[in-house]
Amino acid sequence: MSLDLSDISDPSLGDKELQHFLIQEQQKAQFQAQVHKLTDACWEKCVVDKPSSKLDGKTETCITNCVDRFIDASLAITQRFSAVISKQVGN
């Protein structure tokens, strides 16, 4: 995203770029929050003993399954919200 100096005279362009930038940063922050939530949830569920330098097979499988289910649930929720919003916009 580059800003040409001639564009500075148009304040609405700067506002649009700023809004776009802020939306992108908000999405990044939400993604990071989801990753942290996922990490915490799966760690608490799957790592019951003090971790060593390598995960055992059972723990690794648990974490993999936990992540997969978390992603599946997130996608299902997102798709459902999308469907509801589309239905509301269509009415």
Side-chain angles (χ1 to χ4, degrees):
M1 173 172 72
S2 64
L3 181 64
D4 184 4
L5 291 178
S6 64
D7 293 336
I8 292 175
S9 63
D10 184 1
S12 65
L13 179 61
D15 289 346
K16 289 177 185 175
E17 287 184 3
L18 179 60
Q19 287 176 340
H20 181 68
F21 174 77
L22 291 175
I23 289 169
Q24 285 180 324
E25 290 302 308
Q26 183 180 26
Q27 289 172 341
K28 287 179 193 177
Q30 288 172 342
F31 177 76
Q32 286 289 25
Q34 283 291 86
V35 168
H36 288 293
K37 184 178 176 181
L38 168 63
T39 302
D40 289 343
C42 292
W43 186 267
E44 290 295 319
K45 178 176 176 48
C46 299
V47 181
V48 292
D49 297 325
K50 183 178 177 184
S52 64
S53 62
K54 186 175 180 182
L55 296 175
D56 64 12
K58 181 179 175 185
T59 303
E60 189 173 339
T61 300
C62 179
I63 289 173
T64 299
N65 289 336
C66 180
V67 169
D68 288 345
R69 296 302 71 80
F70 191 90
I71 291 170
D72 290 344
S74 294
L75 286 173
I77 290 168
T78 301
Q79 289 171 349
R80 178 66 180 137
F81 280 141
S82 237
V84 168
I85 289 170
S86 293
K87 186 175 180 181
Q88 288 177 349
V89 170
N91 288 335

